[in-house]
Amino acid sequence: MTARLNVNIDHVATVRQARRAPEPSVAAAAALCEQAGADGITVHLRADRRHIQDADVFTLRRTVTTYLNLEMSVADEMISVALEARPDAVTLVPENPNEITTEGGLDVRANSKAVRAAIDRLRECDLFASVFIDPDAEQVAAARDAGAQQVELCTALYAEATLGARGVHGEGAGRAAAELKRLHEAARLAAQSGLKVAAGHGLTYRNVGALAAAREIEEFNIGHNLIARAVLVGLDPAVREMREAIRRGRAGG
Ligand code: PXP
């Protein structure tokens, strides 16, 4: 079984918000991704609403026919939106006011009370709760103890290392291999703890394959690299190529 691909379409909303215009439509983008074989759609509702708006979440809940994963902070205001919109999964992420994108995983150990409270609210309403964490044994244990049903492993350090890697012996390759090992170990540990395992952040057509070889990883959330390619070649081939990169990685080459 290959891992599922959820396409993060935040950047489609970013283009729309640049002009506060009606287009491009996030619902149309989601439908095109689904038609191209995406297994799900991911969107991130941020406190500053700089790309996805509350209305987008409700629209997507009506139009997405595969799987809708909603990323958000643990803030009460955000959890209330999730309870009303009822996505298929809610992924809890850290959020800092001036960040360009999510900076690393949620420190579940240090924020266990707030994370547990958010997860309790979600699960009481039968929503599936995932937490975005660094690939670290203590964070996996803290996520499980807080009641999460899934962890999404943050692949940012691995992805950064692969950007510096030139071939298998190049600069960054050693660091990429070490990060890959950390991710594989955390995935194994999470699965052994009864958690479902997802991964994402900074993944590309070139670096996703090595990670997809880890059979515990059931789902990838990929945005920037895929949408960047879609700007040039269209969403349909961009989604198909990413699915193929994941499939080939899982098959071992
Ligand atoms: N997973 C999480 C939790 C994220 O916050 C993001 C970025 O919004 C992604 C995955 C996707 O990262 P990227 O856009 O770099 O593929």
Side-chain angles (χ1 to χ4, degrees):
M1 258 278 280
T2 189
R4 298 188 304 274
L5 168 63
N6 292 342
V7 179
N8 180 317
I9 58 169
D10 290 347
H11 284 3
V12 176
T14 299
V15 174
R16 182 193 63 194
Q17 294 308 108
R19 284 292 179 91
R20 307 279 193 277
E23 72 281 339
S25 153
V26 290
L32 284 170
C33 291
E34 290 183 305
Q35 282 161 20
D39 301 287
I41 301 297
T42 293
V43 289
H44 187 167
L45 187 66
R46 289 182 177 272
D48 62 8
R49 306 300 198 272
R50 66 171 178 257
H51 40 61
I52 293 294
Q53 309 294 304
D54 298 41
D56 293 325
V57 176
F58 291 99
T59 300
L60 290 169
R61 178 60 300 177
R62 285 199 308 278
T63 62
V64 167
T65 57
T66 51
Y67 187 86
L68 181 62
N69 173 35
L70 178 59
E71 296 176 356
M72 53 176 40
S73 77
V74 298
D76 281 347
E77 176 215 355
M78 290 294 167
I79 302 298
S80 297
V81 175
L83 297 187
E84 202 182 335
R86 300 198 61 80
D88 297 293
V90 177
T91 302
L92 300 174
V93 300
E95 194 167 312
N96 299 316
N98 295 318
E99 67 190 10
I100 293 175
T101 181
T102 314
E103 294 164 345
L106 186 58
D107 188 344
V108 185
R109 270 192 90 205
N111 300 285
S112 60
K113 227 172 124 191
V115 177
R116 174 175 281 281
I119 292 176
D120 282 350
R121 280 188 75 195
L122 295 170
R123 294 198 58 182
E124 272 162 21
C125 294
D126 254 344
L127 291 180
F128 184 79
S130 180
V131 286
F132 183 58
I133 57 168
D134 289 330
D136 176 289
E138 289 186 338
Q139 294 297 340
V140 170
R144 184 204 53 210
D145 294 347
Q149 290 150 295
Q150 174 174 284
V151 287
E152 178 178 343
L153 300 175
C154 176
T155 54
L157 291 179
Y158 163 65
E160 262 168 44
T162 63
L163 287 180
R166 298 276 181 276
V168 282
H169 304 300
E171 182 203 338
R175 214 154 47 83
E179 287 300 330
L180 194 59
K181 188 159 172 271
R182 265 183 86 203
L183 285 159
H184 280 220
E185 283 170 4
R188 201 168 314 124
L189 194 63
Q192 281 166 1
S193 310
L195 295 161
K196 292 197 166 297
V197 187
H201 213 285
L203 294 176
T204 70
Y205 295 92
R206 291 170 299 284
N207 67 25
V208 75
L211 199 55
R215 296 193 171 270
E216 294 85 357
I217 302 179
E218 297 181 62
E219 172 189 298
F220 288 102
N221 288 293
I222 305 181
H224 181 86
N225 192 242
L226 193 158
I227 301 296
R229 179 141 181 79
V231 169
L232 303 181
V233 303
L235 270 172
D236 190 280
V239 172
R240 287 179 200 278
E241 287 168 30
M242 192 62 85
R243 282 195 82 217
E244 180 56 17
I246 293 170
R247 192 200 61 76
R248 262 190 282 120
R250 179 59 58 99

